[in-house]
Amino acid sequence: MLFDGLMLTVGGRFRRPEPRRRVRDFVRGLLAPLPRKNCWTIAEHAGDSGPDGMQDLLTRVRWDDAAVRADVRAFVGEHLGDPEAVLVIDETGNLKKGRHTVGVQRQYSGTAGKIENCQLAVHLVYATDTAHAMVDTALYLPKSWCDDPERRTRAGVPEQVRFATKPQLAARMITAAVTAGLPCRWVAGDEAYGNDPRLAARLRQLRLGYVLAVARSHQVTTGLGVYRVDALATGLPTIAWQRISAGRGAKGHRWYDWSYTALPHATDAHGGHHWLLIRRNRRTGELAFYRCWSPQPVPLNRLVAVAGRRWKIEEAFQAAKTGLGLDQHQHRRWRSWHRWTTLVILAHAFLAAATANHHHQPVGLIPLTVNELRHLFHVLIIEPTRRRADPLLWSIRRRRHQAQAMTSHYARQALTEP
């Protein structure tokens, strides 16, 4: 069975049988339709007598989350591997209260669409024509955190961690994936990554083609001089635009008008071919711009397909948050955050591979989705075999824990009041 094989591989990262069993139960809990996912609810679902074991798995048990993500990456390469695959990079935010959770500060969150008190992480998704899976992550640690030894110590941030921009974190994950032999040809990302020339140079060095969004104020060099990309778009004739689908969405094909212009780059040490790609919304006329590169010449529709593949990471975020609890963790420290997120990535990769391996498609049905497979896996595999916890003992444990928390809160409040 696919799930058993993946868990057997990951189990090799643990020295003792107890954490091997516990990590399997943890992932099964992430896949279950629990109303809220945390160590308490997952432990109760697993039939444990208390949450301590699951909490220890994320805090005290010795295991390497980076090694587990490497296992997941190899698993995805084995089951979804495609030499034309796209590595999609993007960040997502988790809104938080207070200032003690690792990486939290007031910063722009695309999830909220504004500046909020939040935690940001860069994610890497492996996307093919038929499937996509999360394969890696890196927590963004703001400079204010990196320069504050006391906060770093309280959050358990390793000594060797230094400030890195989001494009630098993305470059590290992409380099690791390519070095490990994950089959891929392209990289796609939004303006946060397209506006960083060092990331583009690194991708060219790796011989990975890219389609990276850039700001409308971005400047490019043409045969006639240096121009802003929005200025170039206004001078394009009608014949320069082509109507091409950027791929299927929930409501059908995503049709846009597209235009691309070859850019000279005689000084580029990596050679290859550069383009400016422009997308125009057929209804509103809104424009989007992309810097593109490939070692070999490619047609316009191929660049459009890569640009459209970037939306797969939004689907991955939605599935991981609503179905797997990516943003429901209650952990403030560096290690526990990475371990929780790694196990969510593992669960998502399993669902993606299992869905892609479902080749039989009866007439009159849409293809099996990740959400539907998660439901079927729970009903048919997890639920019939899971252990049952004593609900009364868990109710007592929860209420005792809440009483202790309330008492501690009132005690702290009394100390601070005049």
Side-chain angles (χ1 to χ4, degrees):
M1 182 180 174
L2 194 64
F3 181 78
D4 291 336
L6 176 58
M7 297 312 302
L8 183 63
T9 299
V10 171
R13 302 296 181 179
F14 299 86
R15 296 181 179 181
R16 297 179 57 81
E18 292 86 354
R20 291 186 203 128
R21 176 190 65 80
R22 188 152 281 130
V23 74
R24 175 188 288 264
D25 288 343
F26 196 102
V27 175
R28 285 158 67 104
L30 291 175
L31 292 167
L34 303 176
R36 185 77 180 173
K37 292 183 171 69
N38 54 51
C39 287
W40 283 70
T41 59
I42 291 173
E44 185 175 5
H45 178 268
D48 293 351
S49 60
D52 297 346
M54 294 300 180
Q55 292 172 340
D56 285 348
L57 181 68
L58 300 183
T59 56
R60 298 183 181 89
V61 175
R62 297 181 66 177
W63 59 283
D64 186 345
D65 55 86
V68 171
R69 292 196 298 276
D71 289 338
V72 172
R73 184 175 56 218
F75 172 83
V76 169
E78 178 184 355
H79 293 278
L80 303 182
D82 181 351
E84 293 292 321
V86 180
L87 298 177
V88 187
I89 50 177
D90 200 359
E91 74 270 4
T92 187
N94 298 330
L95 302 184
K96 295 291 180 181
K97 296 180 180 179
R99 61 186 300 273
H100 299 297
T101 301
V102 61
V104 163
Q105 71 170 15
R106 286 191 59 79
Q107 54 194 327
Y108 179 79
S109 167
T111 305
K114 57 182 178 179
I115 294 176
E116 288 280 3
N117 198 59
C118 66
Q119 180 186 57
L120 295 178
V122 181
H123 288 265
L124 184 67
V125 162
Y126 186 80
T128 70
D129 283 334
T130 57
H132 60 277
M134 304 176 77
V135 293
D136 209 349
T137 187
L139 180 65
Y140 172 69
L141 198 65
K143 202 168 188 311
S144 61
W145 271 82
C146 292
D147 296 340
D148 190 333
E150 184 179 349
R151 291 181 85 187
R152 289 173 62 109
T153 300
R154 283 201 305 266
V157 179
E159 178 65 28
Q160 67 270 23
V161 174
R162 294 292 181 266
F163 175 73
T165 65
K166 301 183 193 78
Q168 287 173 329
L169 296 175
R172 293 175 188 174
M173 290 189 289
I174 293 169
T175 300
V178 173
T179 303
L182 186 66
C184 56
R185 184 181 173 187
W186 297 93
V187 172
D190 65 14
E191 291 182 18
Y193 307 93
N195 290 331
D196 190 307
R198 292 168 296 182
L199 174 60
R202 179 58 178 149
L203 298 179
R204 294 196 296 273
Q205 186 180 25
L206 293 170
R207 309 306 288 172
L208 285 175
Y210 56 78
V211 178
L212 300 173
V214 293
R216 62 189 306 110
S217 59
H218 183 81
Q219 295 185 335
V220 295
T221 302
T222 71
L224 298 176
V226 179
Y227 293 89
R228 281 176 50 128
V229 292
D230 55 354
L232 286 177
T234 60
L236 291 173
T238 303
I239 197 174
W241 298 94
Q242 297 184 46
R243 182 188 184 192
I244 303 175
S245 170
R248 291 181 178 271
K251 300 180 180 179
H253 281 280
R254 296 187 293 259
W255 295 103
Y256 293 94
D257 291 332
W258 300 86
S259 177
Y260 78 149
T261 303
L263 300 175
H265 256 270
T267 60
D268 189 350
H270 304 293
H273 302 265
H274 294 259
W275 298 274
L276 171 65
L277 177 66
I278 306 175
R279 186 191 75 197
R280 184 174 67 189
N281 187 296
R282 295 179 58 81
R283 182 174 58 86
T284 66
E286 182 182 3
L287 299 176
F289 306 90
Y290 305 83
R291 286 297 299 264
C292 311
W293 180 85
S294 172
Q296 301 86 24
V298 293
L300 171 60
N301 60 358
R302 186 62 194 143
L303 298 178
V304 169
V306 175
R309 200 77 61 85
R310 195 193 73 79
W311 286 312
K312 294 298 182 183
I313 201 167
E314 302 297 341
E315 296 178 18
F317 287 155
Q318 183 179 20
K321 288 186 176 184
T322 60
L324 301 173
L326 176 66
D327 59 347
Q328 294 178 18
H329 67 88
Q330 298 176 347
H331 304 283
R332 290 182 172 182
R333 294 174 64 82
W334 177 274
R335 174 186 289 176
S336 54
W337 182 92
H338 280 87
R339 290 182 170 186
W340 175 280
T341 307
T342 295
L343 296 179
V344 171
I345 288 173
L346 187 154
H348 187 267
F350 158 68
L351 292 175
T355 304
N357 288 343
H358 184 74
H359 301 297
H360 179 64
Q361 181 59 48
V363 177
L365 300 181
I366 67 168
L368 190 64
T369 64
V370 163
N371 287 335
E372 182 63 20
L373 190 138
R374 181 172 59 83
H375 169 73
L376 292 174
F377 185 76
H378 172 74
V379 172
L380 301 177
I381 306 299
I382 298 178
E383 193 62 23
T385 60
R386 80 178 175 94
R387 303 182 305 277
R388 304 288 171 171
D390 187 324
L392 292 179
L393 290 179
W394 269 92
S395 174
I396 293 170
R397 177 180 285 273
R398 279 193 296 269
R399 286 181 288 142
R400 180 182 294 119
H401 178 77
Q402 291 164 357
Q404 293 170 346
M406 183 175 62
T407 301
S408 298
H409 175 75
Y410 287 153
R412 288 194 302 269
Q413 189 179 54
L415 291 174
T416 58
E417 287 183 350

